[in-house]
């Protein structure tokens, strides 16, 4: 991760649709509170695409797409001032259509404490919460994005295998917990890329509990 961040052009002058105009920024630069601008800088630092979003209530967030196709939302939270200003918290969500058996979610949560996964509004939601109390290096924010992406891949593998070990070899004779996950047919573990969550960042953001 240090190599990625050292080589990446971090920084953001302007948020546009899926683009960043950046100047180099030290990965050790301290983020005192979360904003769409510094979240976009972190996303650009690990090569993720992004777009600014807002729901009908004006709540703002960054829609992020990882190179493997995973879509997730990074939302400034725990804000001390109106208009999402001075936000000490960062909530990261990923969502898949359809609920997942609760026993699988309990087992995943037991073994993977970096995130939490739960069912809400007939969707499966993976969540990570970060804080910037007393500041956080922007490189750590970028690392959180990359690690969240890896956790999502683990979750997909875990659910598709019915809760079996993620080390199962491709083609293992396992019974999937879901007949579909993210709108795509289930195939044996390791035989297909990570499924994309629901398409469309705006509708995806609107479907999340926030």
């Amino acid at each position: 991760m240090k190599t990625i961040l050292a080589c990446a052009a971090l920084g953001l002058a302007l948020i546009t649709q899926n683009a960043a105009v950046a100047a180099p920024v030290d990965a050790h630069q301290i983020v005192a509170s979360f904003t769409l601008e510094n979240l976009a800088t972190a996303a650009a630092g690990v090569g993720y695409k992004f777009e600014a979003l807002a729901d009908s209530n004006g709540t703002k967030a960054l829609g992020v797409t990882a190179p493997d196709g995973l879509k997730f939302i990074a939302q400034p939270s725990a804000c001390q001032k109106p208009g999402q200003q001075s936000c000490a918290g960062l909530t990261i969500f990923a969502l898949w259509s359809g609920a997942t058996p609760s026993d699988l979610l309990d087992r995943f949560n037991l073994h993977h404490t970096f995130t939490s996964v739960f069912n809400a509004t007939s969707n499966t939601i993976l969540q990570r919460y970060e804080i910037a109390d007393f500041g956080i290096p922007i490189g750590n924010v970028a690392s959180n994005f990359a690690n969240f992406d890896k956790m999502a891949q683990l979750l997909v593998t875990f659910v598709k295998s019915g809760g079996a070990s993620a080390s199962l070899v491709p083609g293992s004779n396992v019974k999937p917990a879901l007949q579909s996950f993210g709108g795509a047919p289930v195939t044996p573990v390791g035989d297909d890329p990570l499924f994309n969550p629901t398409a469309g960042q705006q509708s995806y953001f609107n479907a999340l509990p926030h």
Side-chain angles (χ1 to χ4, degrees):
M1 182 58 65
K2 289 182 179 179
T3 301
I4 294 174
L5 292 174
C7 296
L10 291 178
L12 180 70
L14 176 68
I15 293 180
T16 57
Q17 294 291 312
N18 292 322
V21 179
V25 172
D26 186 352
H28 296 90
Q29 175 181 310
I30 297 298
V31 170
S33 64
F34 295 108
T35 66
L36 294 196
E37 288 78 13
N38 57 41
L39 294 179
T41 296
V46 283
Y48 291 10
K49 296 181 179 179
F50 55 86
E51 58 183 317
L53 303 173
D55 67 10
S56 58
N57 295 319
T59 303
K60 299 175 182 178
L62 199 71
V64 183
T65 303
D68 58 21
L70 176 76
K71 298 180 188 296
F72 62 89
I73 301 298
Q75 180 186 325
S77 55
C79 303
Q80 305 303 306
K81 297 180 181 180
Q84 280 183 287
Q85 301 295 311
S86 299
C87 301
L90 170 62
T91 305
I92 306 172
F93 291 100
L95 174 150
W96 291 265
S97 298
T100 300
S102 58
D103 63 318
L104 285 183
L105 301 188
D106 290 343
R107 289 162 58 193
F108 188 85
N109 285 327
L110 180 64
H111 295 288
H112 302 285
T113 57
F114 180 83
T115 56
S116 62
V117 60
F118 54 93
N119 290 320
T121 60
S122 300
N123 296 304
T124 301
I125 297 176
L126 182 69
Q127 176 182 300
R128 163 74 174 169
Y129 187 74
E130 185 59 81
I131 61 172
D133 290 347
F134 309 108
I136 179 174
I138 196 166
N140 281 26
V141 181
S143 293
N144 269 287
F145 287 167
N147 289 332
F148 185 84
D149 182 21
K150 296 301 182 184
M151 292 302 300
Q153 294 182 49
L154 284 175
L155 174 62
V156 169
T157 299
F158 186 82
V159 171
K160 286 166 52 183
S161 69
S165 170
S167 63
L168 285 170
V169 297
S172 295
N173 185 22
V174 296
K175 181 180 180 181
L178 302 177
Q179 292 306 304
S180 64
F181 197 68
V186 169
T187 56
V189 176
D191 286 0
D192 63 315
L194 178 68
F195 292 144
N196 294 349
T198 45
Q201 291 281 25
Q202 187 63 59
S203 59
Y204 171 45
F205 176 51
N206 292 341
L208 291 169
H210 54 266

